[in-house]
């Protein structure tokens, strides 16, 4: 008989984890551990380079440092617990731990969306209004954009989290996932989830759809500006300043569309779990490589740091 610790009817959930055969478990343990460590170290390196190199004290890199911190936090919400469960073969997570995981997952996912939008706006101003860039993208405006991003992410995640305790799970406590995903919890619930689904639609539109549209509009204006004054130099400059951001936006929203806008027909479909791995672990890991390999400023900052380190030794 299931022990009842709260009105939800459960005191813990069972996470079935990834669809991996037992004989391949060790290989995937090492792979995901390497992915997580690369995510943390790569994004920490970006933050360190931006703080140490005065040439990177610009609005674009100000937003990038916050994005790197968000990627570390976002991956840390799910990866450590998943790795621990894989290593110990213990698949349980407490009810309070599950609710907390939902909150922080939504919070950092929303924050990622708002920061990518702020970076798109920064690129729009830099290319479409270069003469007014310094005035428009002042330090106070950048700080305001980041502050609003944090506040909206906090509010959006809190709304979903406050609605979860009203749900009951008398049908079972087994989640076909490797973390407490909001949609998986709603599918599992034995309560009426109409309000939860309505809030997902409304809040999701505000924190995902609207920012995505703003990004598309920004790059639409950038493209129109470049086409009005076509030149090889102008196109190359636009690609160098926007290419990294566009790559990250494509990875981020591509995973979201695959995960949430192309829903599975049932709760046990492995597609959701596989796409969630790409979304929560692979994308945050790739971001440092994208910005390092495609960005001359970051390459220069890294070379300068290595040169100073070599000289001091």
């Amino acid at each position: 008989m299931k022990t009842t610790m709260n009105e939800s009817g459960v005191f813990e959930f069972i996470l079935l984890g990834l669809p991996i055969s037992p004989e391949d478990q060790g290989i995937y343990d090492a792979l995901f551990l390497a992915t997580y460590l690369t995510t943390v170290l790569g994004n920490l390196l970006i933050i360190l380079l931006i703080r140490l190199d005065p040439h990177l004290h610009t609005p674009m890199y100000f937003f990038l440092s916050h994005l790197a911190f968000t990627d570390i936090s976002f991956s840390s919400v799910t990866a450590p617990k998943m790795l621990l469960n894989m290593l110990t073969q213990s698949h349980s997570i407490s009810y309070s731990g599950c609710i907390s995981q939902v909150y922080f997952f939504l919070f950092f996912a929303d924050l990622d969306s708002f920061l990518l939008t702020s970076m798109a706006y920064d690129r729009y101003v830099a290319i479409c209004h270069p003469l007014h860039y310094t005035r428009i993208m002042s330090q106070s405006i950048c700080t305001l954009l980041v502050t609003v991003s944090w506040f909206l992410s906090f509010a959006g995640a809190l709304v979903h989290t406050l609605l979860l305790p009203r749900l009951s799970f008398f049908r079972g406590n087994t989640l076909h996932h490797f973390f407490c995903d909001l949609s998986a919890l709603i599918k599992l619930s034995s309560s009426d989830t109409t309000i939860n689904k309505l809030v997902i639609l409304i809040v999701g539109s505000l924190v995902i759809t609207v920012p995505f549209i703003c990004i598309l509009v920004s790059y639409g204006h950038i493209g129109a500006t470049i086409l009005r004054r076509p030149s090889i130099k102008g196109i190359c400059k636009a690609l160098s300043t926007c290419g990294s951001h566009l790559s990250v936006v494509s990875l981020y929203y591509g995973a979201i569309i695959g995960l949430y806008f192309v829903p599975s027909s049932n709760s046990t479909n492995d597609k959701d779990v596989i796409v969630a791995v790409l979304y929560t672990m692979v994308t945050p890991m790739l971001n440092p490589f994208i910005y390092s390999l495609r960005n001359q400023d970051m390459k220069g900052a890294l070379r300068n740091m290595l040169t100073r380190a070599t000289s001091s030794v």
Side-chain angles (χ1 to χ4, degrees):
M1 186 170 124
K2 189 160 42 182
T3 304
T4 301
M5 297 294 290
N6 47 59
E7 295 180 1
S8 71
V10 300
F11 70 97
E12 69 176 11
F13 290 95
I14 303 301
L15 301 173
L16 292 186
L18 301 171
I20 299 173
S21 58
E23 57 270 20
D24 296 330
Q25 194 81 26
I27 297 175
Y28 281 96
D29 283 348
L31 177 63
F32 289 129
L33 178 60
T35 300
Y36 177 63
L37 292 177
T38 302
T39 299
V40 173
L41 296 176
N43 283 289
L44 281 177
L45 178 61
I46 284 182
I47 295 172
L48 181 64
L49 289 175
I50 292 173
R51 289 187 64 86
L52 293 180
D53 195 322
H55 296 97
L56 301 182
H57 293 175
T58 63
M60 182 176 73
Y61 294 108
F62 173 74
F63 293 128
L64 178 57
S65 64
H66 282 271
L67 183 67
F69 172 79
T70 303
D71 282 337
I72 293 172
S73 304
F74 182 52
S75 187
S76 297
V77 171
T78 57
K81 179 61 177 174
M82 181 192 74
L83 290 169
L84 180 64
N85 286 355
M86 292 175 71
L87 290 171
T88 62
Q89 296 300 308
S90 171
H91 300 284
S92 64
I93 183 172
S94 66
Y95 177 83
S96 59
C98 188
I99 300 300
S100 299
Q101 195 175 58
V102 169
Y103 170 77
F104 285 107
F105 177 84
L106 293 173
F107 174 78
F108 288 114
D110 294 349
L111 185 56
D112 236 329
S113 179
F114 287 122
L115 289 174
L116 288 173
T117 307
S118 298
M119 294 173 76
Y121 177 68
D122 172 75
R123 293 300 83 204
Y124 157 73
V125 176
I127 294 176
C128 300
H129 304 283
L131 299 179
H132 304 285
Y133 178 78
T134 305
R135 177 179 59 83
I136 296 175
M137 298 304 297
S138 63
Q139 183 61 46
S140 59
I141 293 297
C142 293
T143 303
L144 177 63
L145 287 172
V146 169
T147 303
V148 170
S149 297
W150 278 77
F151 175 76
L152 292 177
S153 302
F154 165 79
L158 186 63
V159 170
H160 291 299
T161 308
L162 291 176
L163 288 174
L164 280 178
R166 62 180 287 273
L167 300 181
S168 299
F169 299 92
F170 294 107
R171 289 191 306 197
N173 65 338
T174 302
L175 289 171
H176 296 270
H177 223 301
F178 64 92
F179 72 98
C180 289
D181 180 60
L182 179 62
S183 60
L185 283 170
I186 289 177
K187 288 179 182 179
L188 183 65
S189 174
S190 53
S191 304
D192 181 8
T193 58
T194 304
I195 295 177
N196 298 76
K197 292 177 180 178
L198 180 62
V199 170
I200 288 175
L201 179 63
I202 296 172
V203 176
S205 297
L206 293 175
V207 302
I208 299 296
T209 308
V210 171
F212 183 54
I213 291 173
C214 291
I215 291 173
L216 292 179
V217 170
S218 296
Y219 277 102
H221 282 290
I222 289 172
T225 300
I226 294 172
L227 291 176
R228 280 199 298 268
R229 298 188 297 270
S231 68
I232 299 299
K233 183 179 179 181
I235 293 174
C236 291
K237 182 180 179 181
L239 288 176
S240 66
T241 57
C242 301
S244 301
H245 181 255
L246 273 174
S247 300
V248 173
V249 167
S250 300
L251 283 171
Y252 178 80
Y253 284 101
I256 287 180
I257 291 170
L259 188 59
Y260 295 111
F261 290 83
V262 186
S264 304
S265 58
N266 57 71
S267 61
T268 62
N269 197 310
D270 291 340
K271 188 267 300 182
D272 287 351
V273 180
I274 295 170
V275 175
V277 171
L278 297 175
Y279 177 47
T280 59
M281 295 193 68
V282 178
T283 299
M285 180 196 69
L286 290 177
N287 289 355
F289 291 101
I290 291 172
Y291 278 103
S292 299
L293 296 176
R294 296 181 61 92
N295 192 296
Q296 296 300 322
D297 292 336
M298 293 295 294
K299 289 181 183 178
L302 181 59
R303 281 194 298 268
N304 292 337
M305 188 182 74
L306 293 176
T307 301
R308 287 197 297 267
T310 304
S311 301
S312 62
V313 172

